[in-house]
Amino acid sequence: MEYSGASGAASGGDEQITSNSSRRKGKKKVYHRHSPNQIQQLEAFFKECPHPDESQRIRLSRELGLESQQIKFWFQNKRTQTKTQSERQDNSTLRAENERIQCENIAIREALKNVICPACGGPPFGEEERQHSLQKLQLENAQLRQEHDKVSALLAKYAGKPVDALLGVNPPPLNFSMPTLLNPIGIKNPAVGRQLNSIGADFFSLAPYQRQVIPEMEKALMMETAATALDELIRLLQNNEPLWIKVSSNDRLVIHRDSYEKSFPRYSHFNSPGARVESSKDSGLVTMNGLKLVDMLLDSNKWIDLFPSIVTKASTLQVLEPGTRGNRSGALQLMYGQMHVLSPLVPTREFFFLRHCHQIEAGLWVIVDISYESMKDRVLNSRCWRLPSGCMIQEMPNGCSKVTWVEHVEVDDRNQTHRLYRDVVRTSSAYGAQRWIATLERMCERMAFSARLTVPANEPGGEGRRSLMMLGHRMVKNFCAILSMTPKLDFPHLSEVNNSGVRVAVRNNTEPGQPSGLVVSAATSVWIALQPQSIFNFLRDEKTRAQWDVLSSGNQAQEVGHISNGSHRGNCISLIRPFIPNENNMLLFQESCIDPLGMVIVYAPIDLPSLNVAVSGADSSNIPILPSGFIISSDGGHPDSAAANGGGASTSTANSKRSPAGSLLTVAFQILVSTPSGPNELNMESVATVNTLISSTVQRIKRALDSNMD
């Protein structure tokens, strides 16, 4: 059975139903006209089931009073009609889309005819103009090469080496001091030293982004890059599965690569076999107002103060957008940052990146960092790329803030990380979100203790207490900074192959708040088969200090002052009298810090007059202080006996004292050297002194820990 026309199925109740058999015989047999109610029921059933089986057709024929064949052919015609209407609609849509694309192509062709060069405002170059411009650029390049050779010759004249041998092919990006190149150890004339420093400061500056205005076109590209990164970070912050999965070994969150690449397809920035991606996510509650935390993260100097154990150097190159007054929403900055692990065995990581702040709603901010493409080659030997990373800050009603942190970095590890720190770096304990959150929680707690109104009776008054805490913070910050030693040592003969692995560097110190003159710093990292807490308790206890401190001469030290700066009893500032012979006027100013990922013990000698200045509440920023100390952390895994032996312990000791997991101990000392008769004698004498000091201290600590833990 079928309707007399394709349109009959929808023409109302006047349709006339004929038999197929009658049509084949040339006769038109009319059964009857059906009612609108029958059509309505057939239409309703078609929406639910366009392909009824035999039993459904029989049921419909009984209900509607129609033959089964009539039902069958009605559904066939209805399906054909529906398909025809759908195809007609698709064709209309495609035809409209095609017309729209044609109009866009015509508009683009017209726009290309009138395009101008954004640099000069002129019409696009033809082939002849392009060749002329290429020749002009080649001539300018040759002139710049000649100027580079002149400056290189001038620098090499005083440094004694070609400049490319000292720094590599590309100059460093920022106006940082270059101790290896510009160190005036071998320069006898101070005027020449000042001239050389001036030349270096001008030659190694990042002029295009520090002194010039960024073009509007590039600024628009930066804003688009930051906005795209912000959208990606918000999704990473607000979602867990399937973008994030939990690693069973240490219960941390990492990005699921397949799910991420489906949502955010991107190309790899490094193609070497050592390239890898590090990702992590963590959250915590910090005792700081949300807007104050946002302001600190957008200020490069305060950013270093907030993360002194992670950020070594930072600079705001350009403020592209200051943000809305009162909430900083919309702020966009081009920044430089250098980050490190507190060990001389792990190289630093350098980034040029955009930092963008956006307020989602009242009391909720997101700050995103993203490496900027055009700055990729400006960092000397840069082997890291910052994918969208950052934090979400949610203001809580009690003056605290909930912070959720995401770290996502692509790393080109061409030179394998030192075996002692390989597990620490690869498990994101070194640079991961957990470390940022733990450091932020600790520093916010320290600031809260510094600002509290009530002071315990056994501690100095409010102003004196804050002055001493500022002095302690500066001491810890300076100590962390000296540990970011470059792989190129000032004294390469003190390498790990020929020696105990002590890294030594010499600098001419002119920074305020530190003793002026030549300073020799040395550091080493070793593995010890004990838990970090045991080593921390031993080194922090003044009663056991005589067992490792060579300055104590075997005499027991005494704590004469104490300031708590955290809820854990290990977070404090101590004044220690070390009983050094003929030094009754000298104390040790010490600060110890502990968080879930590591411990820090930093100390420096301080004379009584300087201490009295700080206790009185006066400004302590000019008190000269030269810190030394220890960094203690978990080893991140289960090192083998070779790693333990490489750390300086004997094989027998490492095997006999083997524990399921050990600790990494970094020891760093600094000494101020007076001017000798000759620079070569000074260097070797100073190096020998500090090398002996640090090696003997490490051996004393190991022997004392062995005897105390028996």
Side-chain angles (χ1 to χ4, degrees):
M1 174 200 78
E2 62 182 8
Y3 283 104
S4 59
S7 62
S11 62
D14 297 327
E15 294 85 347
Q16 164 169 281
I17 304 174
T18 64
S19 168
N20 279 351
S21 60
S22 300
R23 287 185 177 183
R24 286 194 298 268
K25 296 177 182 179
K27 297 179 180 180
K28 186 176 181 182
K29 183 179 179 181
V30 179
Y31 288 98
H32 69 280
R33 294 180 181 276
H34 55 276
S35 65
N37 185 40
Q38 290 175 327
I39 292 293
Q40 185 178 2
Q41 293 184 49
L42 287 170
E43 292 281 359
F45 193 86
F46 181 83
K47 292 180 180 179
E48 297 178 0
C49 179
H51 295 273
D53 56 20
E54 183 66 26
S55 62
Q56 290 173 324
R57 290 198 299 270
I58 293 173
R59 180 170 59 83
L60 278 174
S61 68
R62 286 199 302 266
E63 292 177 357
L64 301 177
L66 300 173
E67 294 183 2
S68 178
Q69 289 297 316
Q70 288 178 304
I71 301 295
K72 177 181 178 181
F73 293 129
W74 187 91
F75 274 91
Q76 287 179 352
N77 290 339
K78 183 64 176 178
R79 287 194 296 268
T80 302
Q81 181 195 23
T82 303
K83 181 179 179 182
T84 302
Q85 290 176 348
S86 176
E87 291 176 350
R88 188 181 299 114
Q89 184 177 1
D90 291 343
N91 288 337
S92 299
T93 303
L94 291 174
R95 189 178 296 106
E97 180 69 15
N98 189 31
E99 291 176 356
R100 185 186 64 82
I101 293 174
Q102 288 179 349
C103 292
E104 289 183 357
N105 287 336
I106 294 173
I108 291 173
R109 290 193 194 99
E110 293 298 324
L112 288 175
K113 293 178 182 179
N114 301 321
V115 72
I116 60 172
C117 174
C120 62
F125 288 151
E127 184 61 30
E128 183 178 352
E129 291 85 357
R130 191 176 291 109
Q131 291 296 330
H132 177 71
S133 298
L134 181 61
Q135 294 176 1
K136 182 179 178 181
L137 288 174
Q138 289 174 344
L139 290 175
E140 292 178 355
N141 196 21
Q143 294 176 357
L144 291 173
R145 201 176 287 116
Q146 291 178 359
E147 294 178 6
H148 174 267
D149 293 339
K150 290 179 182 178
V151 177
S152 299
L154 179 61
L155 292 174
K157 177 180 178 181
Y158 295 106
K161 296 180 182 179
V163 66
D164 290 343
L166 291 167
L167 296 177
V169 178
N170 297 321
L174 293 174
N175 186 13
F176 297 142
S177 61
M178 308 296 292
T180 306
L181 176 64
L182 303 179
N183 195 333
I185 292 177
I187 303 174
K188 298 182 180 180
N189 188 344
V192 174
R194 288 192 296 271
Q195 178 187 6
L196 191 56
N197 278 292
S198 175
I199 294 172
D202 182 71
F203 184 71
F204 298 118
S205 63
L206 190 67
Y209 285 92
Q210 284 183 313
R211 295 197 295 263
Q212 295 183 8
V213 177
I214 297 178
E216 288 298 322
M217 183 175 294
E218 186 170 6
K219 183 178 178 180
L221 179 60
M222 291 178 173
M223 297 179 70
E224 181 181 354
T225 302
T228 304
L230 179 69
D231 293 338
E232 178 177 326
L233 180 64
I234 290 176
R235 290 183 59 183
L236 292 175
L237 286 165
Q238 294 180 340
N239 299 304
N240 284 331
E241 294 181 353
L243 286 175
W244 294 91
I245 57 175
K246 187 170 289 187
V247 179
S248 57
S249 59
N250 53 9
D251 205 33
R252 64 186 177 90
L253 289 172
V254 299
I255 288 178
H256 187 271
R257 299 315 308 173
D258 292 340
S259 300
Y260 174 82
E261 289 171 2
K262 288 179 182 177
S263 302
F264 311 105
R266 64 175 70 249
Y267 67 93
S268 177
H269 290 86
F270 306 108
N271 298 319
S272 68
R276 68 178 188 279
V277 175
E278 298 175 3
S279 61
S280 57
K281 180 180 179 180
D282 197 18
S283 61
L285 191 67
V286 300
T287 55
M288 182 178 288
N289 174 273
L291 183 58
K292 182 179 179 182
L293 183 55
V294 169
D295 288 333
M296 294 192 73
L297 292 175
L298 293 177
D299 187 316
S300 56
N301 294 325
K302 293 179 181 179
W303 185 40
I304 299 177
D305 288 335
L306 202 57
F307 300 98
S309 60
I310 303 177
V311 183
T312 310
K313 297 174 183 177
S315 176
T316 301
L317 305 179
Q318 285 278 348
V319 177
L320 304 172
E321 292 291 340
T324 305
R325 183 184 295 246
N327 59 21
R328 301 304 303 273
S329 182
L332 179 61
Q333 301 174 173
L334 177 64
M335 301 181 68
Y336 168 84
Q338 184 184 85
M339 305 169 193
H340 69 147
V341 176
L342 295 180
S343 171
L345 303 182
V346 183
T348 59
R349 293 182 177 180
E350 295 179 276
F351 299 93
F352 280 102
F353 60 94
L354 295 169
R355 174 162 291 179
H356 179 44
C357 174
H358 178 69
Q359 187 179 33
I360 299 178
E361 59 186 47
L364 184 63
W365 293 266
V366 174
I367 296 179
V368 62
D369 294 346
I370 176 71
S371 288
Y372 185 51
E373 186 70 36
S374 71
M375 305 295 289
K376 181 177 180 180
D377 299 326
R378 291 188 178 273
V379 183
L380 185 65
N381 296 326
S382 176
R383 294 173 183 169
C384 351
W385 186 262
R386 199 161 179 78
L387 299 170
S389 305
C391 62
M392 178 180 287
I393 302 169
Q394 182 178 1
E395 204 165 59
M396 308 300 285
N398 57 354
C400 300
S401 299
K402 181 183 178 182
V403 181
T404 304
W405 203 285
V406 166
E407 279 295 304
H408 196 192
V409 179
E410 187 178 348
V411 182
D412 183 12
D413 199 1
R414 298 177 189 174
N415 300 324
Q416 288 292 322
T417 306
H418 193 280
R419 61 180 179 274
L420 288 180
Y421 284 85
R422 196 165 297 159
D423 291 333
V424 175
V425 173
R426 289 187 178 272
T427 57
S428 297
S429 298
Y431 293 105
Q434 294 88 346
R435 187 181 176 206
W436 289 91
I437 288 292
T439 304
L440 181 61
E441 289 176 338
R442 169 66 198 123
M443 294 307 298
C444 289
E445 181 189 44
R446 190 185 191 281
M447 293 178 186
F449 267 73
S450 176
R452 69 180 183 179
L453 299 177
T454 58
V455 179
N458 60 341
E459 296 184 6
E463 293 300 324
R465 187 174 183 275
R466 277 189 285 271
S467 180
L468 287 172
M469 290 186 70
M470 290 178 61
L471 179 62
H473 178 70
R474 178 163 62 88
M475 179 178 68
V476 173
K477 181 180 172 182
N478 292 342
F479 174 75
C480 293
I482 69 169
L483 292 174
S484 58
M485 295 182 176
T486 59
K488 181 178 176 60
L489 303 181
D490 289 336
F491 298 92
H493 61 279
L494 292 175
S495 64
E496 196 171 1
V497 177
N498 303 321
N499 198 277
S500 61
V502 178
R503 301 287 179 101
V504 181
V506 178
R507 72 179 187 275
N508 185 33
N509 200 17
T510 58
E511 297 181 8
Q514 296 187 40
S516 300
L518 283 178
V519 175
V520 180
S521 57
T524 187
S525 294
V526 297
W527 184 84
I528 297 179
L530 289 173
Q531 292 298 315
Q533 185 68 54
S534 301
I535 302 174
F536 177 75
N537 293 338
F538 170 76
L539 294 174
R540 197 180 67 86
D541 191 353
E542 72 278 0
K543 297 182 178 62
T544 59
R545 191 181 190 94
Q547 299 182 42
W548 58 266
D549 192 351
V550 295
L551 299 178
S552 298
S553 302
N555 298 316
Q556 184 173 335
Q558 178 185 4
E559 185 181 64
V560 296
H562 182 95
I563 299 176
S564 298
N565 56 22
S567 55
H568 192 284
R569 63 185 183 88
N571 291 320
C572 65
I573 293 174
S574 303
L575 291 173
I576 300 174
R577 189 181 298 278
F579 292 104
I580 302 175
N582 302 323
E583 287 290 348
N584 295 328
N585 196 35
M586 187 67 65
L587 296 175
L588 289 177
F589 183 72
Q590 176 175 293
E591 175 157 351
S592 57
C593 313
I594 181 171
D595 62 48
L597 293 182
M599 301 101 174
V600 179
I601 301 174
V602 184
Y603 61 91
I606 185 172
D607 54 42
L608 284 177
S610 298
L611 180 62
N612 291 332
V613 170
V615 172
S616 66
D619 184 13
S620 62
S621 59
N622 293 323
I623 296 178
I625 198 162
L626 195 64
S628 300
F630 308 95
I631 306 293
I632 311 159
S633 65
S634 172
D635 58 9
H638 302 269
D640 54 19
S641 58
N645 193 29
S650 64
T651 307
S652 60
T653 302
N655 293 334
S656 62
K657 294 293 180 182
R658 184 79 180 170
S659 62
S663 302
L664 295 172
L665 173 66
T666 296
V667 186
F669 289 146
Q670 295 187 93
I671 61 172
L672 180 66
V673 184
S674 58
T675 305
S677 57
N680 293 331
E681 295 178 6
L682 164 65
N683 293 343
M684 296 314 301
E685 179 184 353
S686 306
V687 169
T689 300
V690 75
N691 184 45
T692 302
L693 176 63
I694 198 169
S695 300
S696 61
T697 300
V698 170
Q699 294 303 321
R700 283 169 174 257
I701 291 173
K702 289 182 176 180
R703 285 195 299 266
L705 288 172
D706 286 341
S707 61
N708 290 347
M709 299 304 167
D710 284 338

